[in-house]
Amino acid sequence: MKRSSFVGASLMIATGVLLAGCGEEGSALGAADGSHEDVKLVLNWFPKSQHGGVYAGIEEGLFEEQQIELTVEPGGPQVSPIQIVAAGDADFGLAHADQLVIARNQGIELVALAATMQGSPQAFMYHEGTEINDFEDLNGREVFIQPGITYWDFLKNEYDLSGVNELAYNGQNVTFIEKQESVTQAFVTSEPFFLEREGIPTETLLVSESGYDPYNVVLFVTKDYLNEHASVVEKFVDSYLEGWKLYEENYEEINEVITAANPNIALEELNYEAETQYEYIYGFDAASQGTGYMTADKWRTLIDQLLEINLLDEDFETEDIFTTEFLPET
């Protein structure tokens, strides 16, 4: 593996001193003269296995081969990749499909380039043995949920959840652990493992069982950036998808790279996430169509669902929010 290229990228992440190349294509450090294009990607969270394709691409020099000098900015609870990319402080971002649709409703014109996850691993987590078989079984319980999270609005529209005692989710599970009958939001790729390791067995109910199942961890740019830097976008998407192929083959090695970028996460946590997210990245439609695959039908379903719960002011065409132009033909 090309360790040196990763070290260079890690230093850029740590210092955060490099700014995105926001000039017109072919200008400053453009590829036309054989030099590299400075590109900045902002993640949707701290580096995790769900970013395995990015780190595999860096580690194996895929971006460098495409003359892209990539800087990666970690996300976090106070970081909005959409706002950062919209402001021109990063060129590429990762966010969930519903976040992109709502951003467009707010006048931010973004274009989805590749769906890392074909569906959503978001779920409700509860203590093992608790009788929860459907969403209306949440009634009469304390449910820790992030205020304003879109899928909760959808569920409240679809089901009678008037008996739920909503409590603000703060990213911690201390109170959930203490209260046997409580429920908390979670990702099936992460939190159940954390609790199992502490000797607390849990079960989960996937939000997608309600029919709300948007693409997750979607690679995007602004419409303006796409219009001005189409060749950079093409090279970036190629490297990104090739990185995911390498991650599938060597995720344990790449996870060691991710722990270097995010020392707060253990290697065993990353390996668990990689194994539980596998179907979302390489399965479903991606199994036959390739990683990153997207369809107009799935975007249409999401737009209609958000219209139904009045989170959109008006309808718009699916081609205004995504493109498959840069995905491999199947």
Side-chain angles (χ1 to χ4, degrees):
M1 290 188 174
K2 299 179 181 178
R3 185 72 61 180
S4 59
S5 64
F6 168 69
V7 172
S10 296
L11 289 173
M12 286 187 284
I13 294 168
T15 58
V17 297
L18 293 183
L19 298 177
C22 296
E24 293 187 0
E25 192 165 14
S27 63
L29 298 179
D33 61 357
S35 59
H36 284 67
E37 186 85 23
D38 286 342
V39 169
K40 187 175 184 180
L41 166 72
V42 56
L43 306 179
N44 58 312
W45 196 248
F46 302 109
K48 299 183 66 185
S49 295
Q50 61 185 253
H51 310 122
V54 175
Y55 287 94
I58 294 171
E59 181 71 355
E60 296 296 336
L62 300 180
F63 295 100
E64 191 175 17
E65 289 172 4
Q66 295 277 18
Q67 297 181 308
I68 291 174
E69 190 71 33
L70 177 61
T71 300
V72 179
E73 178 177 318
Q78 305 303 322
V79 176
S80 169
I82 288 174
Q83 294 297 332
I84 291 171
V85 171
D89 293 327
D91 308 299
F92 292 78
L94 293 171
H96 302 322
D98 50 5
Q99 295 171 321
L100 300 183
V101 172
I102 289 173
R104 192 197 180 285
N105 186 66
Q106 297 169 341
I108 303 173
E109 294 199 86
L110 306 172
V111 181
L113 304 167
T116 309
M117 291 190 182
Q118 292 295 305
S120 172
Q122 292 171 308
F124 292 98
M125 182 172 68
Y126 50 93
H127 292 268
E128 186 179 70
T130 304
E131 290 293 326
I132 294 180
N133 300 307
D134 192 71
F135 296 100
E136 293 190 357
D137 291 336
L138 298 177
N139 286 308
R141 303 179 188 279
E142 293 180 339
V143 176
F144 296 94
I145 191 80
Q146 178 184 333
I149 197 165
T150 307
Y151 68 72
W152 185 241
D153 289 332
F154 175 83
L155 292 174
K156 288 196 291 186
N157 185 68
E158 291 292 310
Y159 303 92
D160 178 7
L161 299 178
S162 57
V164 171
N165 182 13
E166 296 179 38
L167 299 175
Y169 175 78
N170 63 4
Q172 304 296 322
N173 288 313
V174 175
T175 308
F176 166 74
I177 292 171
E178 292 173 348
K179 296 188 175 184
Q180 188 69 26
E181 296 299 317
S182 65
V183 179
T184 186
Q185 68 177 64
F187 280 78
V188 295
T189 52
S190 299
E191 281 86 352
F193 177 77
F194 302 156
L195 285 243
E196 182 71 28
R197 194 172 51 185
E198 295 181 35
I200 303 168
T202 62
E203 298 177 68
T204 55
L205 174 64
L206 281 166
V207 173
S208 60
E209 292 185 24
S210 69
Y212 188 79
D213 190 26
Y215 294 122
N216 267 219
V217 196
V218 178
L219 180 67
F220 70 93
V221 292
T222 64
K223 182 176 285 186
D224 286 344
Y225 186 86
L226 177 57
N227 290 337
E228 296 168 5
H229 300 80
S231 68
V232 176
V233 170
E234 181 178 13
K235 293 174 182 177
F236 191 98
V237 174
D238 284 349
S239 302
Y240 183 74
L241 298 180
E242 187 64 25
W244 277 110
K245 290 181 183 175
L246 296 177
Y247 188 74
E248 181 180 17
E249 300 164 358
N250 302 302
Y251 73 87
E252 290 179 319
E253 292 180 46
I254 301 301
N255 283 346
E256 292 181 7
V257 174
I258 296 175
T259 58
N262 179 7
N264 293 320
I265 193 164
L267 185 58
E268 60 178 347
E269 296 171 10
L270 293 174
N271 289 340
Y272 176 85
E273 183 183 11
E275 290 158 8
T276 53
Q277 74 181 10
Y278 184 91
E279 186 70 8
Y280 291 98
I281 295 173
Y282 304 106
F284 303 108
D285 286 345
S288 60
Q289 305 295 330
T291 300
Y293 184 70
M294 299 181 290
T295 70
D297 286 347
K298 194 170 177 80
W299 281 101
R300 181 76 260 163
T301 297
L302 175 61
I303 293 169
D304 289 344
Q305 289 173 330
L306 298 183
L307 280 167
E308 183 180 350
I309 58 177
N310 299 316
L311 288 183
L312 302 183
D313 297 326
E314 59 184 18
D315 195 4
F316 61 88
E317 300 297 326
T318 56
E319 53 261 35
D320 290 336
I321 193 72
F322 90 107
T323 179
T324 59
E325 179 181 354
F326 304 100
L327 298 178
E329 293 184 6
T330 56

